[in-house]
Amino acid sequence: MADKDKDKPAKYRTEIQQMMYVSGETAEASAETTGMIEEIVRQQVIEMLRQCTEQASRRGSKSISTDDLIFLIRHDVAKVSRLRTFLSWKDVRKNVKDSDDKGAEPDIGGADEPGGPTAGPVVAEAKKNKKTKVGLPWEVPSLYNQEVPEREDEEDEDEEEMNYATLQRLKKADERTKAMTKEEYVTWSEYRQASFTFRKGKRFKEWAGFGVVTDSKPNDDIVDILGFLTFEIVQTLTEEALKIKEQEDLGKAVTGGEQAGKKRKAQGLFDPPSEGRTPVETRHIQEAFRRLQHRPNKQRAMLNGRRGLNRTPLKLF
């Protein structure tokens, strides 16, 4: 990272600390660590905007769309499914809010009038506020003019993969919170709402480089998607850094016991911790970033013979 980027004041230290806490880092990270994470997230957002701008120009448009952003993460099926669910519920909330702003709720009639004349608007309003599936232009159903009606008992492979990933996340969240006190759990629940974009739209646009990286003026959906993805980036980076730190701590415990020539007593379930827990440091974040940037041999083989001539693009995660 360039020195001039290090000199920039941190704008999201509090939000990043909260996201790290939700991701399992209960110790307070240093300003250098959160600053490094913020710069990594910023570079990821800039790369997203750059690739989205290139895609928009290929189709002859000056403005980027939500499909351009989702296209960048299309290979992560579980993440795409979570994002589609997020957008679907956002649309439902918007429709409900719009219907509430229009005036009083329609009369649904009494119990003895199930099929009365007022039932029509109620059913229409219920259908409007129903969660709809977000379609993507590169999917097979989008190639046809007519849409096949969905069955309520039908569940596609993407949703199954998303459900599996969601269960794994819920399992991790349960492991992190089962030993928390009531006050700690309330704090954890509040920190789950941390965001780079919520009620910070202007600050985020300046920070991300809108107007510099891309001339497109983002709509609310694009900003919300970027807010969703930035949280995912911090979470992924923190979880990987915690794995590295855990491996490092285990290595120190083994070598430390051998050097001292003492047998270490096995840690019991109700034994207090031997020493205070230290937070992840910048070296853990750097190693986590390096691992997340690792490419399979198949991708690296395509650059054989041209190494050094072409700059390896930043990998999104």
Side-chain angles (χ1 to χ4, degrees), residues 20-45:
M20 293 178 70
Y21 186 88
V22 173
S23 304
E25 177 50 281
T26 54
E28 184 175 356
S30 64
E32 292 77 11
T33 302
T34 56
M36 179 177 291
I37 293 176
E38 180 175 331
E39 184 58 28
I40 290 174
V41 175
R42 182 172 175 271
Q43 292 299 329
Q44 291 276 307
V45 173

Side-chain angles (χ1 to χ4, degrees), residues 127-294:
K127 289 182 178 180
K128 179 182 176 183
N129 294 338
K130 185 179 179 181
K131 184 169 74 74
T132 57
K133 186 175 181 180
V134 177
L136 299 173
W138 55 86
E139 293 181 330
V140 175
S142 65
L143 303 177
Y144 301 94
N145 294 329
Q146 294 185 353
E147 184 178 354
V148 179
E150 295 183 7
R151 297 184 307 180
E152 293 184 359
D153 59 342
E154 187 177 12
E155 197 171 84
D156 57 17
E157 295 180 359
D158 293 354
E159 289 182 349
E160 291 178 358
E161 189 166 347
M162 182 198 70
N163 291 337
Y164 175 77
T166 301
L167 288 175
Q168 296 301 313
R169 285 181 169 238
L170 290 174
K171 182 180 178 181
K172 289 181 181 179
D174 183 61
E175 292 174 352
R176 292 166 185 162
T177 57
K178 64 183 178 182
M180 287 184 177
T181 62
K182 179 180 178 181
E183 291 75 15
E184 289 174 340
Y185 184 77
V186 170
T187 301
W188 186 85
S189 300
E190 292 176 352
Y191 285 178
R192 290 184 70 185
Q193 310 301 320
S195 172
F196 280 76
T197 59
F198 183 66
R199 295 180 179 175
K200 311 179 189 76
K202 184 178 179 181
R203 190 211 306 183
F204 178 78
K205 292 173 187 176
E206 294 176 354
W207 175 81
F210 281 99
V212 179
V213 181
T214 177
D215 295 332
S216 173
K217 292 184 179 180
N219 56 35
D220 293 340
D221 285 341
I222 290 177
V223 174
D224 289 339
I225 290 175
L226 288 173
F228 174 90
L229 294 176
T230 49
F231 192 105
E232 295 263 338
I233 293 170
V234 175
Q235 189 173 41
T236 302
L237 198 61
T238 303
E239 290 175 349
E240 189 66 30
L242 286 171
K243 292 179 184 177
I244 295 169
K245 183 179 180 298
E246 184 180 0
Q247 293 172 356
E248 183 182 273
D249 292 342
L250 287 173
K252 287 182 178 179
V254 173
T255 57
E258 291 175 354
Q259 291 174 359
K262 299 179 181 179
K263 289 186 177 180
R264 288 183 174 267
K265 182 182 177 181
Q267 187 76 9
L269 179 62
F270 300 101
D271 290 341
S274 57
E275 57 183 10
R277 187 176 178 279
T278 58
V280 295
E281 300 178 10
T282 54
R283 68 176 185 275
H284 303 127
I285 299 298
Q286 287 176 332
E287 176 61 18
F289 179 73
R290 187 193 68 80
R291 293 185 182 183
L292 291 170
Q293 289 296 301
H294 176 73

Side-chain angles (χ1 to χ4, degrees), residues 68-94:
D68 293 326
L69 272 173
I70 302 176
F71 185 76
L72 299 180
I73 61 170
R74 65 192 182 280
H75 298 302
D76 192 336
V77 179
K79 185 182 291 186
V80 171
S81 296
R82 289 196 302 273
L83 182 54
R84 293 168 76 166
T85 303
F86 167 77
L87 293 175
S88 297
W89 283 114
K90 180 191 172 186
D91 187 57
V92 170
R93 290 192 295 268
K94 181 178 180 297

